[in-house]
Amino acid sequence: MAKRITIDPITRIEGHLRVDVEVDNNAVSNAWASCTMWRGIEKILRGRDPRDAWLFTQRFCGVCTTVHAMASVRAVEDALKLEVPPNAQYIRNLILIAHALHDHIVHFYQLSALDWVDVLQIPKADPAAASKLAETLSPWTRNSRNELKAAQDKVKAVASSGQLGIFANGYWGHPAMKLSPEVNLLAFSHYLQALEYQRKALQAVGILGAKTPHIQTLTVGGVTNAIDLDSQAALGMDRLEMIRTLLADVIQFVQQVYFVDVCAVAAMYPDWFKIGGGVRNYLAVPDLPLDSKGSAYDLPGGYIMNGNIAGTRPFKTAADKEFRDSVSEDVTHAYYHGGKPLHPWKGETEPEFTGWNGEQKYSWVKAPRFNGQPMQVGPLAQVLVGYAQGHALTRKYADLAMGKVGAIAGIQVTPDMLHSTLGRHAARAIRAAMLAELAQKHWQLLVDNIAKGDFAVHNQPVFTEHEVEGVGTHEAPRGTLSHWVVVNNGKIKNYQAVVPSTWNASPRDSAGASGPYEASLMRTPIADAEKPLEVLRTIHSFDPCMACACHTFDPEGKRIAEVKVL
Amino acid sequence: MKRVLIAGIGNVLLGDDGVGPCVVRQLDSTYSFDEGVELEDLGTPALDFIDHIAGLDALIVVDSVDNGKTPGTITLYRKQDLLKTASSVRMDTHSPAIAESLLAADVFFGMPPREVLLVGITAESYAAGCNLSESVRAAIDSAVQHVLSELARLDILHKKKEASPSNVWWSAVPHPQPA
């Protein structure tokens, strides 16, 4: 008899990811992913000046502010066929890279590492042995016995104060936890250090963006950073040097700690290369443009159908015609009024709430489709399309990661094994290592271009009476983000954002095809239905972001997560 | 010099959730404060809130609350009240994390804000839109006074500014009606 488990965090009023799974014979036999809140924020943009849209869109979400700002200015630029000066491209790229590094570090350590790391084991660890083990894995200088002992003391203090809730995950002592006390300690010590290094990445965003959260220096047609090498008020050598120093620290942390930890943890859970695959259609857009036209990019894009890596189709540009023409959103199982799937430029957002019914409508997330098919987006998609195209930087770090995991685990790791829960974590670490290298490159590109005497940062947008359409894409930390705008007579007529988590958290479509979260959970083994850690592991591997919404404080301390076993 | 942060929290696109940022912007455009006092519209931060609050002498948060009281009611909460809500299962990186950030600043860095006050305004509606409900709008002045009283308690001076142009940009123009 199948049991139903509902995981429904009710932190705030609403707006969260809810997952329902049926468990039969200790494995998931059916799954539904849903979002519990209608947003419809796009409607606020209708009638407004397209040059202001990014200020509003960066308020869609408190964590991904910059990504929605960037996609928005790009959408309007695409509609106006407006180019962006090289300095502006490099400054934007540096902001995007720094933000992504911050985001990937926080995701791994603060969100998902504790799905694999058992805090309760840490007091039993021998810090000297842990330090010795660390030396064999990485040249990182902050793995000393003293540093590890200090981390261990913090855990002991937290445990004795009864505040373990701070770790906000919490299936300690679960039978699916496999790491030794020393590895648990090492990972936790890096959890603490990650908080320091993610902050440095945000500081770099803050210098280039004037403040964080909510950067101020974007504009349709470029950026507003004044460049003057001799000035302390403008973007000059002082600030560029601060950015370089901050990024250098972050780069070292990513390459010597985050990348290594993901490989080591993956090597100790090799079964999870066989779990959590699901939808094997992948989509990624090119990003980090290298010139004003956007004719060359440092991150390749494209798509893969049915796991056929050899048959990858590349996208030439960030607003590729095939991408433009092939996206639609299906509302068969979403709480919206409507019939057949609509292209985002024609998109409607008319709510029709009917209550949760797995056979009919059950989510506020629409089902985005590419040529009618569900697609998985995120670092794994980006790494696979790059790997298939022989992209040198992708190959460099993907091969390094697969080799490292293989050497520690004593197994052969192949690209096909990346269609999995661990594959998504590995791909995010691979992407972070690539971005770390690209951070240095784009900093140098900016400095060299300024040194040539080019100080241009902005091209003036010109609106006409004609109706124009544009799409702005960004390969965000969670995957392909696209903003779609229709501009009429200088005003916004329609605006739709198709965000990464709607691709991944999508409900079923009219053909009954499940979205990536849902498909990835099928056949996942569940050791204890009361503590569905395995479901969280796979969902977390996508880096979900459903709560880009209300932030109301609930002071009554209600139960925050509800795990119902029916 | 005392380091104090007055933080407005909430999504300005979701109706009354924007009241925190509105109150902070009103304070900023109406008063000047002693050196060391920062005012920030932080939107909807997650764990990056830690970086804003670590090492403060005092943190004053203004946020909408969902506590079942009459919309527009102001309720004050102290640190212990906030810590009761630390979550047990985190699904996503984006969930708000006021309680977790307070704990993290304390146990991980040993730098919790020494004094914490949350000025909570009971919301009426979170429907998408840039304007506040009448009930909540009417509570803004009172929320401002609560913040000023807390500053006075902390021996921090404020002065009324001469000119006070509104800096609430998201509702500066009326919400356009859908075409």
Side-chain angles (χ1 to χ4, degrees):
Chain A
M1 177 69 192
K3 272 186 177 177
R4 167 76 67 80
I5 306 174
T6 302
I7 306 176
D8 189 5
I10 44 176
T11 356
R12 301 294 146 124
I13 40 169
E14 279 181 358
H16 284 263
L17 173 61
R18 163 177 162 172
V19 174
D20 289 78
V21 294
E22 270 177 14
V23 178
D24 205 356
N25 286 324
N26 296 319
V28 174
S29 55
N30 211 344
W32 296 263
S34 52
C35 178
T36 60
M37 182 182 169
W38 182 52
R39 302 182 68 224
I41 289 177
E42 292 110 324
K43 279 189 166 186
I44 292 170
L45 291 161
R46 289 191 190 160
R48 292 193 190 272
D49 187 326
R51 290 170 297 185
D52 296 342
W54 68 277
L55 288 166
F56 288 85
T57 60
Q58 79 166 331
R59 299 286 178 145
F60 280 179
C61 166
V63 173
C64 298
T65 53
T66 55
V67 307
H68 288 294
M70 209 64 77
S72 181
V73 291
R74 285 175 171 178
V76 180
E77 286 156 4
D78 182 59
L80 301 181
K81 306 280 171 275
L82 182 64
E83 290 183 13
V84 176
N87 283 334
Q89 297 285 39
Y90 304 141
I91 289 171
R92 289 179 179 186
N93 291 344
L94 282 169
I95 291 175
L96 293 179
I97 291 169
H99 171 263
L101 291 175
H102 145 81
D103 200 293
H104 290 333
I105 292 170
V106 170
H107 171 262
F108 180 67
Y109 289 100
Q110 273 68 44
L111 174 71
S112 56
L114 298 181
D115 293 347
W116 313 91
V117 171
D118 189 351
V119 174
L120 291 187
Q121 296 293 319
I122 292 173
K124 298 178 204 156
D126 172 359
S131 179
K132 226 175 173 143
L133 170 69
E135 272 176 34
T136 66
L137 295 171
S138 167
W140 184 241
T141 54
R142 295 183 60 186
N143 284 330
S144 68
R145 184 195 163 279
N146 284 350
E147 182 113 19
L148 294 172
K149 175 80 170 48
Q152 185 182 41
D153 289 345
K154 280 189 179 150
V155 173
K156 286 180 180 169
V158 173
S160 64
S161 72
Q163 288 183 319
L164 276 173
I166 188 170
F167 298 117
N169 266 12
Y171 290 140
W172 320 126
H174 193 282
M177 295 288 193
K178 306 281 187 210
L179 303 182
S180 69
E182 283 71 29
V183 176
N184 281 308
L185 171 58
L186 200 55
F188 177 70
S189 162
H190 298 160
Y191 172 107
L192 294 176
Q193 292 172 12
L195 289 167
E196 293 172 42
Y197 291 87
Q198 62 82 27
R199 179 192 311 136
K200 289 174 188 272
L202 272 190
Q203 284 168 341
V205 174
I207 294 171
L208 288 165
K211 77 186 267 293
T212 174
H214 316 129
I215 58 171
Q216 301 295 308
T217 54
L218 282 188
T219 186
V220 169
V223 295
T224 55
N225 305 73
I227 295 175
D228 179 350
L229 288 183
D230 299 325
S231 163
Q232 289 188 324
L235 185 61
M237 273 328 287
D238 280 5
R239 288 191 188 184
L240 285 165
E241 195 50 34
M242 280 164 71
I243 292 162
R244 196 190 63 75
T245 310
L246 285 165
L247 288 176
D249 287 349
V250 178
I251 290 162
Q252 199 176 36
F253 182 80
V254 166
Q255 297 191 328
Q256 296 186 3
V257 183
Y258 171 34
F259 186 84
V260 175
D261 282 354
V262 171
C263 292
V265 170
M268 291 169 203
Y269 288 97
D271 287 354
W272 284 83
F273 279 116
K274 299 178 198 132
I275 298 168
V279 170
R280 293 182 180 210
N281 307 327
Y282 297 93
L283 176 72
V285 286
D287 209 328
L288 305 183
L290 287 158
D291 57 20
S292 10
K293 285 191 187 352
S295 55
Y297 299 85
D298 259 337
L299 293 177
Y303 65 95
I304 293 171
M305 303 308 291
N306 301 313
N308 178 11
I309 296 178
T312 297
R313 300 281 299 271
F315 291 139
K316 285 201 186 64
T317 71
D320 193 276
K321 183 165 187 318
E322 186 168 11
F323 179 77
R324 264 170 206 275
D325 293 346
S326 308
V327 175
S328 63
E329 293 191 291
D330 182 307
V331 296
T332 308
H333 292 279
Y335 302 128
Y336 297 96
H337 185 71
K340 61 180 183 13
L342 293 176
H343 188 279
W345 283 324
K346 310 270 181 234
E348 295 169 2
T349 316
E350 296 304 327
E352 183 183 289
F353 184 65
T354 48
W356 197 97
N357 181 334
E359 300 297 312
Q360 295 171 17
K361 289 182 184 284
Y362 62 89
S363 180
W364 282 113
V365 170
K366 295 179 186 176
R369 293 294 182 263
F370 180 79
N371 288 327
Q373 300 299 313
M375 305 299 285
Q376 185 178 152
V377 301
L380 177 56
Q382 191 213 300
V383 165
L384 288 177
V385 301
Y387 199 88
Q389 292 171 49
H391 181 248
L393 191 63
T394 310
R395 290 241 163 178
K396 173 180 167 183
Y397 286 104
D399 288 338
L400 191 62
M402 288 188 284
K404 225 174 175 65
V405 176
I408 301 171
I411 55 172
Q412 172 84 23
V413 181
T414 61
D416 276 337
M417 290 163 70
L418 299 177
H419 303 295
S420 61
T421 296
L422 279 183
R424 278 185 284 274
H425 278 295
R428 195 170 291 108
I430 292 164
R431 179 176 198 263
M434 291 167 59
L435 289 173
E437 203 170 307
L438 291 171
Q440 292 164 310
K441 176 180 172 182
H442 284 258
W443 185 88
Q444 198 62 51
L445 284 170
L446 174 63
V447 170
D448 291 348
N449 195 58
I450 296 171
K452 282 193 294 193
D454 178 0
F455 300 122
V457 291
H458 177 234
N459 292 326
Q460 195 63 32
V462 180
F463 293 93
T464 67
E465 289 174 10
H466 300 294
E467 184 162 305
V468 286
E469 294 164 333
V471 57
T473 64
H474 167 37
E475 188 62 20
R478 283 162 198 77
T480 297
L481 168 66
S482 54
H483 281 206
W484 306 74
V485 67
V486 182
V487 178
N488 187 294
N489 205 10
K491 298 275 185 232
I492 294 171
K493 184 178 171 194
N494 199 4
Y495 202 103
Q496 294 282 322
V498 183
V499 309
S501 291
T502 61
W503 287 101
N504 285 339
S506 116
R508 289 156 173 77
D509 57 28
S510 61
S514 297
Y517 286 3
E518 298 176 335
S520 69
L521 291 171
M522 297 299 286
R523 293 177 298 285
T524 297
I526 304 288
D528 178 353
E530 301 283 342
K531 295 180 177 175
L533 173 62
E534 298 89 342
V535 172
L536 290 180
R537 280 182 175 170
T538 292
I539 292 295
H540 283 167
S541 73
F542 284 94
D543 193 356
C545 93
M546 283 295 107
C548 307
C550 258
H551 208 271
T552 304
F553 180 68
D554 167 15
E556 306 309 325
K558 280 186 215 157
R559 229 169 1 142
I560 301 266
E562 186 169 33
V563 177
K564 276 188 288 194
V565 182
L566 304 175
Chain B
M1 183 185 80
K2 278 188 180 161
R3 281 191 58 214
V4 179
L5 173 67
I6 305 169
I9 302 274
N11 191 327
V12 303
L13 307 183
L14 291 171
D16 293 339
D17 204 35
V19 68
C22 274
V23 168
V24 166
R25 281 165 185 268
Q26 173 144 335
L27 277 159
D28 199 20
S29 62
T30 320
Y31 300 98
S32 58
F33 301 92
D34 284 354
E35 202 184 335
V37 177
E38 299 272 349
L39 293 96
E40 293 255 31
D41 159 9
L42 289 182
T44 52
L47 290 167
D48 49 340
F49 194 51
I50 300 169
D51 301 330
H52 294 277
I53 64 173
L56 292 173
D57 291 298
L59 167 68
I60 303 173
V61 176
V62 188
D63 195 357
S64 67
V65 296
D66 181 26
N67 58 3
K69 296 187 184 174
T70 311
T73 304
I74 293 184
T75 313
L76 304 180
Y77 300 92
R78 291 283 171 186
K79 198 190 281 185
Q80 320 72 273
D81 306 316
L82 308 192
L83 292 182
K84 281 194 299 197
T85 68
S87 76
S88 57
V89 173
R90 172 165 278 266
M91 288 277 267
D92 59 71
T93 31
H94 292 60
S95 297
I98 294 179
E100 280 171 67
S101 297
L102 282 171
L103 274 172
D106 185 357
V107 299
F108 293 159
F109 299 112
M111 296 195 295
R114 283 199 299 132
E115 306 259 1
V116 179
L117 175 71
L118 181 131
V119 178
I121 300 137
T122 307
E124 181 173 331
S125 164
Y126 298 106
C130 294
N131 294 317
L132 301 176
S133 308
E134 271 314 306
S135 57
V136 169
R137 182 185 303 280
I140 289 180
D141 286 343
S142 169
V144 164
Q145 289 309 317
H146 280 290
V147 173
L148 296 178
S149 307
E150 174 73 354
L151 290 172
R153 196 183 69 81
L154 297 163
D155 291 326
I156 301 218
L157 299 176
H158 66 272
K159 276 199 296 226
K160 197 144 174 95
K161 281 184 190 170
E162 290 296 320
S164 53
S166 167
N167 53 3
V168 180
W169 54 266
W170 57 89
S171 61
V173 282
H175 177 195
Q177 292 305 306

